């Protein structure tokens, strides 16, 4: 009976047991902060990437080869400054998993012959003077980039040497892989929310090199 009382009142080792219970919870919480902090960093980097891509698309040769043909000739001065009706044109340019650019016109098939590969690569990789989308988000794939040139009812029909579209550069289906929580809790890869930046195009001069 005496031995039983001593065993029941013996508190040696309780600290070790409490630590064994609390440590996994504390470690999971700490590593969770690290993982979600890195996810927020990637999301922020993605937003910077679309802003840089939109700026490059705004000032350089259009990816959509047919876009310059949407402009009136400069000799037609009576129409300069006329607002563009929404839906007049809509070019959506993307890339395959292999990085081959293509553009669809008005929701049609995405065809490589409608796209300027060098212009798409310049927005993705950057130029000699400007950082591209890849510089801000190194794990970005070309197939996750979308570049749209559309007449939205804003802007003007033409300025000297080219059309002025509304340009939207976005990133879609960009994955995020948990590092620590994948091992602890079995979290898998998630798809980050789509990120986009919309700007009004400047003079889309085909001979301009940023």
């Amino acid at each position: 009976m005496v031995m039983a009382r001593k065993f029941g009142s013996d508190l040696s080792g309780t600290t070790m047991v409490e630590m064994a219970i609390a440590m996994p919870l504390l470690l999971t919480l700490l590593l969770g902060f690290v993982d979600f902090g890195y996810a927020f960093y990637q999301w922020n980097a993605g937003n910077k990437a679309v802003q840089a891509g939109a700026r490059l698309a705004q000032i350089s040769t259009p990816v959509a080869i047919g876009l310059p043909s949407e402009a009136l000739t400069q000799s037609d001065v009576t129409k300069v400054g006329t607002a563009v009706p929404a839906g007049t044109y809509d070019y959506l340019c993307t890339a395959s998993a292999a990085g081959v650019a293509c553009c669809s016109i008005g929701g049609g098939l995405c065809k490589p012959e409608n796209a300027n590969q060098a212009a798409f690569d310049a927005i993705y990789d950057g130029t000699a003077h400007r950082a591209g989308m890849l510089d801000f988000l190194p794990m970005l794939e070309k197939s996750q980039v979308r570049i749209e040139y559309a007449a939205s009812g804003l802007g003007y029909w033409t300025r000297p040497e080219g059309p002025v579209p509304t340009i939207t550069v976005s990133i879609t289906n960009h994955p995020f892989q948990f590092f620590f929580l994948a091992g602890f809790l079995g979290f898998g890869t998630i798809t980050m929310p789509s990120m986009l930046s919309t700007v009004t195009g400047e003079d889309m001069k085909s001979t301009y090199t940023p």
Side-chain angles (χ1 to χ4, degrees), residues 17-108:
V17 173
E18 291 170 355
M19 182 62 71
I21 295 174
M23 183 57 74
L25 297 177
L26 293 175
L27 193 59
T28 300
L29 184 62
L30 175 62
L31 297 181
F33 279 129
V34 174
D35 262 350
F36 282 103
Y38 183 58
F40 179 76
Y41 165 78
Q42 278 208 322
W43 179 80
N44 185 62
N47 278 288
K48 294 296 184 183
V50 293
Q51 291 171 16
R55 178 55 182 162
L56 280 171
Q58 183 182 39
I59 62 175
S60 55
T61 302
V63 179
I65 291 177
L67 182 62
S69 66
E70 302 291 348
L72 297 177
T73 61
Q74 294 181 47
S75 60
D76 192 357
V77 295
T78 61
K79 294 293 183 69
V80 173
T82 302
V84 182
T88 301
Y89 59 82
D90 188 1
Y91 295 87
L92 179 60
C93 302
T94 58
S96 66
V100 179
C102 65
C103 294
S104 63
I105 304 173

Side-chain angles (χ1 to χ4, degrees), residues 83-210:
V84 182
T88 301
Y89 59 82
D90 188 1
Y91 295 87
L92 179 60
C93 302
T94 58
S96 66
V100 179
C102 65
C103 294
S104 63
I105 304 173
L109 294 176
C110 197
K111 300 179 180 180
E113 57 265 30
N114 294 335
N116 183 324
Q117 183 71 50
F120 190 98
D121 291 344
I123 294 171
Y124 175 76
D125 292 314
T127 67
H129 307 291
R130 289 186 179 273
M133 300 178 71
L134 190 63
D135 294 303
F136 291 93
L137 191 60
M139 292 187 293
L140 179 66
E141 301 289 340
K142 283 186 181 181
S143 58
Q144 297 163 4
V145 177
R146 293 160 56 93
I147 304 169
E148 183 177 16
Y149 303 87
S152 63
L154 302 174
Y156 304 94
W157 186 279
T158 188
R159 288 177 182 171
E161 296 190 48
V164 184
T166 296
I167 305 171
T168 301
V169 176
S170 57
I171 295 174
T172 60
N173 300 318
H174 184 67
F176 173 76
Q177 172 66 56
F178 288 98
F179 293 103
F180 301 112
L181 294 184
F184 277 100
L185 300 178
F187 281 29
T189 301
I190 63 173
T191 300
M192 300 187 72
S194 297
M195 295 155 279
L196 61 85
S197 180
T198 300
V199 295
T200 299
E202 297 181 6
D203 293 338
M204 308 302 285
K205 302 177 183 180
S206 60
T207 57
Y208 181 80
T209 302

